[in-house]
Amino acid sequence: MKYYSTRSANINLEATEAILKGISEDGGLFVPESIPKLPIPIEEFVGKDYRDTAFLVMKQFFTDMTDEELRACVDAAYDAKFDTPEIAPIKEADGDDYLELFHGKTIAFKDMALSILPHLMTTSAKKHGLNNEIVILTATSGDTGKAALAGFADVPGTRIIVFYPKNGVSKIQELQMVTEAGKNTYVVGITGNFDDAQTGVKKMFTDKELGERLAKAGFQFSSANSINIGRLIPQVAYYVYGYAKMRQQGIIAAGEEINVVVPTGNFGNILAASYAKKMGLPVKKLICASNQNKVLFDFFTTGTYDKNRPFYLSASPSMDILISSNLERLIYAVAGSPEKTKELMEKLSKEGSYSISKEMQEGLGDFYAGYATEEDTFSRIRSLYESCSYVIDPHTAVASHVCKQYKTETGDKTKCLIASTASPYKFPKSVIKAIKAEDAEQDDFALTKLLSSLSGVKIPEAVANLENAKILHDTVCETEEMQRIVEEHLKK
Ligand SMILES: *Cc1c(COP(=O)(O)O)cnc(C)c1O
């Protein structure tokens, strides 16, 4: 299986090379030459544990790794770091199934991929006799940052630098990052927003001169953002696993189709779901749920992607994104050529918008898009709590709202699997504001205790430990200073 750049036909690499590079030097993203089929019938996944499922799915994509290498990565990733042996359990509430992807170290779904990425990277580096230290540069809207820090902390041969929008993440999210103790970690707040952070990071990746200078000093950049196929592909596995769980629990019959609903920001998670569908998973609709930054909703309904609009800070900060990087892979799939993709992406970069043709739009029929306002989000948290005593986080609530909206609008009775992307404990203020507004003014730690008594779910260690953790990172810079900060840090 070769990996091509979305922007030129003459770059192609093995999976392990694409994992190491993160992003193609022409600014494109790596895509597999084709989406492989599941290696065994879906019914045979029923009853398999998470590791076996993940191994079988990833093996189809990472074909230049040996079984032993991949198995070692999977086993090192999906272990007791997760607080349940199921890794990704399913909870039924109000007729929908929530695939809880937040049982890892940092209680957000990013852990699912970021627990394995460092192992995929170091295995790839070994395979290619690479001696340079791998420097992970990451822009985060909140959850990627901590999950990447936790994944790479003290992994030999790696360093990680995380940029986050200083005023664009929750208190708990920020604390999780700035208290990170790994010796190879560096966390920096920027005065801009997530898109600024992401653009700054992308610029450094594609700066050839910078790359050469760093190579001389013994470093090589790589990315832990969801543009890395080493992050994208592991996410395909949990959709297969989730489907098999629904079968195992008798929620659906053999071969029955489901809809998958995903709260979407950078378009990585839902793209993984679309790969699962292409592999043969019985999925009918891929439901793309946006918050009030509904650039994707507008794109799917009009065919025009336009980031020239107000940017809102919402209660679902990990979805506060106007440039959904992974959409480029879908554009590539429907554009049919890297030249066309390149043209559209350059238009996006220069003018902030592009429109796709009618024919391309027809290629998007697997998707349905909806969005939730802030009010919709809060009211969904409250209504689900009141009807089922099930507490969801604001991101998951966006998906849950859009799921309801979809069913009302279409009358479709297909069972829905909702990607539950964060624990409510990561956003206690918003969650309490939704279900018990009169108490929402207390500090975050008092709120987590209240949340525990309301939901009956134990406070996860990831939050309990924060209260007394020491702040170890306090650098803040302007967007323009990001590169200087990186170069200075690497001199130390
Ligand atoms: C990152 C994140 C999302 C968005 O996922 P994408 O893959 O970027 O679309 C949604 N919810 C939570 C909690 C997240 O951390």
Side-chain angles (χ1 to χ4, degrees):
M1 172 83 69
K2 293 280 191 212
Y3 285 80
Y4 287 90
S5 165
T6 48
R7 297 194 195 177
S8 62
N10 40 24
I11 295 179
N12 72 77
L13 303 173
E14 299 289 347
T16 54
E17 295 171 308
I19 290 170
L20 283 173
K21 281 205 145 86
I23 185 168
S24 175
E25 58 212 24
D26 58 4
L29 310 190
F30 293 115
V31 281
E33 58 180 294
S34 64
I35 305 294
K37 290 290 161 199
L38 290 169
I40 53 172
I42 182 69
E43 276 304 292
E44 289 177 30
F45 278 99
V46 180
K48 283 209 188 307
D49 69 12
Y50 195 85
R51 293 191 205 186
D52 287 348
T53 307
F55 173 76
L56 284 168
V57 171
M58 285 186 235
K59 187 173 139 63
Q60 301 303 98
F61 288 94
F62 299 149
T63 49
D64 70 321
M65 281 192 186
T66 65
D67 282 4
E68 290 68 33
E69 285 169 340
L70 182 58
R71 190 72 223 192
C73 291
V74 167
D75 289 350
Y78 304 112
D79 61 7
K81 285 194 282 298
F82 287 78
D83 68 8
T84 161
E86 281 183 285
I87 308 292
I90 281 184
K91 297 274 161 64
E92 196 275 337
D94 195 24
D96 299 313
D97 291 279
Y98 290 81
L99 179 61
E100 293 190 347
L101 301 169
F102 55 75
H103 288 269
K105 253 187 155 166
T106 75
I107 60 175
F109 93 97
K110 307 279 194 306
D111 288 327
M112 299 302 296
L114 282 163
S115 321
I116 193 164
L117 182 67
H119 302 287
L120 295 172
M121 259 183 198
T122 48
T123 303
S124 302
K126 230 182 259 159
K127 229 181 159 68
H128 293 283
L130 193 90
N131 294 318
N132 279 350
E133 190 170 355
I134 299 173
V135 179
I136 303 297
L137 273 192
T138 292
T140 183
S141 56
D143 291 330
T144 294
K146 180 60 191 186
L149 289 163
F152 282 94
D154 299 320
V155 172
T158 72
R159 281 202 209 193
I160 170 160
I161 305 173
V162 170
F163 291 98
Y164 73 97
K166 177 70 187 154
N167 297 315
V169 301
S170 85
K171 169 97 182 296
I172 297 272
Q173 284 179 317
E174 181 171 35
L175 272 178
Q176 280 188 309
M177 290 190 276
V178 298
T179 58
E180 172 58 53
K183 296 222 160 32
N184 59 342
T185 65
Y186 187 41
V187 180
V188 182
I190 70 157
T191 49
N193 63 30
F194 169 71
D195 288 319
D196 298 327
Q198 180 161 259
T199 304
V201 162
K202 261 194 157 175
K203 216 152 88 201
M204 284 187 261
F205 275 123
T206 46
D207 183 336
K208 280 214 175 82
E209 195 198 318
L210 175 66
E212 281 161 20
R213 207 156 58 231
L214 288 181
K216 276 200 199 111
F219 298 108
Q220 167 171 352
F221 279 147
S222 195
S223 161
N225 273 93
S226 61
I227 49 179
N228 194 314
I229 58 141
R231 252 192 78 184
L232 181 63
I233 302 303
Q235 295 178 351
V236 180
Y238 49 71
Y239 290 107
V240 178
Y241 181 75
Y243 182 92
K245 279 238 150 214
M246 287 174 81
R247 275 289 301 124
Q248 190 180 12
Q249 297 178 12
I251 297 163
I252 48 170
E256 188 174 328
E257 282 190 318
I258 61 167
N259 293 324
V260 171
V261 194
V262 185
T264 297
N266 223 356
F267 209 74
N269 201 3
I270 193 162
L271 186 74
S274 81
Y275 281 16
K277 176 173 165 65
K278 286 197 177 136
M279 290 185 90
L281 198 71
V283 173
K284 185 165 154 188
K285 282 284 176 192
L286 299 154
I287 300 177
C288 174
S290 300
N291 66 18
Q292 58 182 337
N293 293 299
K294 59 182 182 54
V295 64
L296 287 167
F297 168 80
D298 292 341
F299 168 70
F300 279 109
T301 47
T302 67
T304 295
Y305 193 98
D306 188 359
K307 77 160 185 88
N308 301 313
R309 60 176 71 213
F311 175 83
Y312 302 107
L313 291 177
S314 77
S316 43
S318 301
M319 296 159 68
D320 289 342
I321 289 174
L322 293 181
I323 305 173
S324 297
S325 297
N326 268 294
L327 189 66
E328 178 166 346
R329 289 184 162 110
L330 182 64
I331 294 295
Y332 173 78
V334 295
S337 83
E339 292 75 24
K340 182 75 197 170
T341 314
K342 182 165 185 250
E343 177 198 316
L344 293 175
M345 292 305 126
E346 282 177 353
K347 213 155 171 287
L348 176 64
S349 153
K350 283 198 199 89
E351 296 162 29
S353 75
Y354 61 85
S355 296
I356 62 170
S357 64
K358 268 266 163 321
E359 296 73 53
M360 284 176 71
Q361 249 180 299
E362 278 159 20
L364 303 175
D366 291 345
F367 291 86
Y368 169 93
Y371 69 96
T373 63
E374 289 293 271
E375 199 186 320
D376 295 332
T377 307
F378 285 102
S379 96
R380 189 57 189 143
I381 296 174
R382 182 168 55 249
S383 69
L384 201 61
Y385 174 69
E386 282 170 359
S387 64
C388 308
S389 303
Y390 185 55
V391 181
I392 54 175
D393 98 288
H395 302 76
T396 310
V398 167
S400 183
H401 171 84
V402 170
C403 180
K404 247 184 137 56
Q405 188 184 59
Y406 167 81
K407 287 194 257 189
T408 312
E409 198 174 293
T410 62
D412 185 5
K413 298 264 182 322
T414 306
K415 288 266 179 209
C416 291
L417 183 66
I418 297 176
S420 182
T421 51
S423 158
Y425 281 103
K426 206 154 186 171
F427 305 95
K429 212 170 206 81
S430 297
V431 172
I432 295 294
K433 193 174 147 203
I435 61 184
K436 209 165 180 288
E438 63 276 22
D439 287 332
E441 291 317 310
Q442 304 175 35
D443 80 60
D444 276 31
F445 293 105
L447 291 177
T448 56
K449 283 162 201 148
L450 177 60
L451 186 52
S452 180
S453 71
L454 289 171
S455 66
V457 176
K458 211 175 130 230
I459 300 178
E461 253 174 56
V463 172
N465 292 343
L466 276 185
E467 194 163 2
N468 301 311
K470 225 170 113 183
I471 294 187
L472 300 169
H473 305 267
D474 58 7
T475 308
V476 178
C477 76
E478 307 276 334
T479 311
E480 297 71 34
E481 297 177 297
M482 288 170 62
Q483 179 169 335
R484 181 181 61 76
I485 289 273
V486 167
E487 293 204 61
E488 278 173 10
H489 176 67
L490 293 179
K491 284 199 191 105
K492 283 180 200 153

